[in-house]
Amino acid sequence: MDEMLSEADKKAIEEAKDIIEFHFTIGLWIRNNWLYDRSEEELESLSKAFGVDMPFFEADDLSSEILEAYKKHLKRTNKTCAK
């Protein structure tokens, strides 16, 4: 996602009060390109890559969890860069 998103998109995600703001934009892209039509094993692998521990996979929920994980990543990265 770091390579895919613009700096403005990254800033918007990092500063968002609620990740639901991205449900029909970046969240929709994640669902269409990464989640729909994937096997359970592929979804499990993707969720593990983002540190998401979900016992079952619902595309809407998983895309939100991925965005939340990415938001945390951005905060950690920018905190490290600021030092």
Side-chain angles (χ1 to χ4, degrees), residues 11-45:
K11 184 174 180 166
I13 291 169
E14 184 178 4
E15 295 176 352
K17 295 202 185 312
D18 192 342
I19 213 69
I20 197 72
E21 296 174 34
F22 304 98
H23 184 77
F24 291 111
T25 56
I26 299 167
L28 181 61
W29 188 93
I30 290 170
R31 290 187 298 281
N32 286 341
N33 292 279
W34 290 354
L35 304 180
Y36 294 144
D37 299 325
R38 302 286 183 222
S39 70
E40 188 172 329
E41 292 80 20
E42 290 173 310
L43 292 173
E44 187 174 344
S45 177

Side-chain angles (χ1 to χ4, degrees), residues 76-83:
R76 280 191 309 270
T77 302
N78 288 337
K79 189 183 251 186
T80 303
C81 291
K83 290 181 179 179

Side-chain angles (χ1 to χ4, degrees), residues 31 35-36 43 54 56-65:
R31 290 187 298 281
L35 304 180
Y36 294 144
L43 292 173
M54 295 185 70
F56 63 91
F57 303 100
E58 178 65 39
D60 283 349
D61 296 335
L62 187 52
S63 64
S64 292
E65 291 295 324

